[in-house]
Amino acid sequence: MAVIEIKNVAKTFGAYTALHDINLTIADQEFMVLLGASGCGKTTLLRIIAGLETASTGEVWIGGRRVDHLAPKDRGIAMVFQNYAVFPHLTVFENIGFGLRMQKLPNDEVRRRVERTAGLMQIDQLLKRYSGELSGGQRQRVAVARALAMEPDVILMDEPLSNLDALLRMEMRAELKGVLAESNTTAIYVTHDQVEAMSMADRISVMHKGEIVQAATPLEVYRNPAAEFVAGFIGNPPMNFLPATSQGGGKWAVAGELFDGPDRSAPLKFAIRPEDLRPAEQGLTATAKVIEPLGAHLLVTCEIDGEIFRAILDSDMTVRPGDRITLAPQPDRIRWFDPETTLSAV
Amino acid sequence: MNARLLPYLLILPVTLFLCVFFLYPFLLVSKQAFTQGAGFTLENFRDVASHWKFPISLKNTLLLAAVVVPVQLALALLMATMVNRMEKGRDLVLYVWTIPLGISDLAAGIIWLAIFEQSGFLNSMMTGLGLAEQPMNFLSYQSPLMVFTAIALAEIWRATAIMLVILVAGIGLIPKEYYEAAEVFGASPWQRFLRVTLPLLRPSLQTALILRVVLAFEVFAVVAALGGTLFPVLMGEIYSYQFDLQNSNGAAALALVVLGISIAFTLVILRVLRVPKGATI
């Protein structure tokens, strides 16, 4: 049982504030992804949880125990590093067994656990090799096996797949998700790759400039972004935004069209995902600029009132640059953001 | 230009230089060592080995190396680890620590002589503080242990920095992630040093140890300044064969003996600290 609670954690490096007052609770056996662009503080937060970095203020609790004053080894965690950190001078066997040897477990117990985790990660044929004789993907497996062999309450992963090529990454993504689900550990996974985040997470914490902007299920983050940043960060291509002016009574004018929205008078931003647009008789009139056939779909980048606007359309459609097309947004997928606070206005 | 020939062309000047100024003199010395008048002989080796000072100078040389090199290794490792942890002033500390490297070994010997001799710093300090009633002669035939200690101290002071600079460079090459991984998986600072730093430092340790051991067998000027004839070493014997006894065949033979010892130790160090294939950083 390991619930992780992060209470009011902040971190400053001199005058630079890397983390502002972070509060986050991660449930037992949950797979939490910290997602954000580089420099958003996600790795710093992970390192604070691991104990490799000390928070300037705040508390970290793991399994009902306050751990922020404890050494990493006393926190019940294991970690997978971005560059794997598989010791080059030890064989795969000794690498996986490193933490167990440090705990002074008896030899047969070390052997049993190393062999079990190596089997789980399908590297049982490589136990006598050195890391120099392994491929990147195999090294990655050793790093994961080493963490699993500890049978930790919490596994921390810092961009573990970012050094693999695209195909291997996809394969490892699914495998890692399966292995972790079976191991009954709480997992925190740092990545800048939204596809990894969407496909693996139970919940995603989207981070921006040292703050958690939204912590929710992948679908919730995708469908109902809590802020403009999330809407623009998640989804490829991201959400479209257009300025909207209130016509009173919950009616909003967007690029000359009327839509139903929240009943308020201050200006709002209208937002819609590119795939939630359909060509129609009536809707937003756009001028097509760039057409990118993607096989299954057609990505059309157009312009509405000088704003870039993207639509994912059926690949059977014929559109040429310069064509005027009318796009109808799916009404239940329209979102509204307050330009003042950049937060969702529902 | 043929790209395959270019590398060889580029190393040609230094190869020629080494052949003329190293290989050729070496062959001459070898020839001298194995000849007497005409014809091949091992007589020179028999001569030098049967001289009464040979066993004692061999013993002294080996003993000095056996004491000095481990102390220097430990000190250099400690200093390198400390320097590596420093965030500010690292370069300044390194410069200060490497100052003795810029001093010739004879000058270093004389500096330590100025400390230990009867009218030296140590004696004036001890009498000044009232620890001794009158100056003592530390470096006399009556106190061989003191002579040995003075020589060892001077050698440690003089030549630890050469190991230090090699080890500092080597430690700098070890990625931080290995230490963090070791820490997360439960290694104490001492265990991290033993299980991460030392094994990953093997290539630098090899270089530093070979260099230092070979130099230790060549110790001469420091011993001459501090011990004179009280503490005979192999290099001193070569000198006296060549210049006092005017026996250049004997000097050459003894020089080859020292070379043989150096090669033997180099091979042992290479073997003991070898890095298995695939186990490099």
Side-chain angles (χ1 to χ4, degrees), chain B residues 25 46 70 105 110 119 137 139 177 184 189 198-199 210 212 219 225-226 233 237 240 268 275 281:
Chain B
R46 242 166 263 142
D105 47 355
I110 290 169
S119 56
N137 188 5
L139 304 173
E177 232 178 15
V184 165
L198 277 188
I210 289 170
R212 198 46 218 123
V219 65
L226 286 167
V233 287
E237 291 316 293
S240 75
V268 169
V275 180
I281 295 178

Side-chain angles (χ1 to χ4, degrees), chain B residues 1 18 27 29 40 56 60 117 144 150 160 181 189 192 235:
Chain B
M1 183 81 227
L18 287 174
L27 289 174
V29 169
F40 172 86
I56 178 79
N60 283 344
E117 68 183 346
T160 301
R192 269 174 261 157
M235 272 300 147

Side-chain angles (χ1 to χ4, degrees), chain A residues 47 81 83 87-89 102 130 132, chain B residues 177 180 195 199-200 278-280:
Chain A
R47 290 171 60 87
F81 290 82
N83 298 315
F87 300 116
H89 58 291
M102 291 297 125
Y130 287 105
Chain B
E177 232 178 15
E180 292 184 344
R195 307 207 38 162
L200 292 179
T280 47

Side-chain angles (χ1 to χ4, degrees), chain B residues 198-251:
Chain B
L198 277 188
L200 292 179
L201 205 54
R202 272 179 297 187
S204 307
L205 283 174
Q206 270 184 351
T207 314
L209 271 176
I210 289 170
L211 201 64
R212 198 46 218 123
V213 166
V214 168
L215 286 175
F217 292 140
E218 292 173 4
V219 65
F220 175 59
V222 169
V223 175
L226 286 167
T229 50
L230 296 176
F231 192 81
V233 287
L234 287 176
M235 272 300 147
E237 291 316 293
I238 296 176
Y239 180 89
S240 75
Y241 265 100
Q242 180 72 34
F243 296 104
D244 301 339
L245 306 174
Q246 301 281 320
N247 178 355
S248 48
N249 298 72

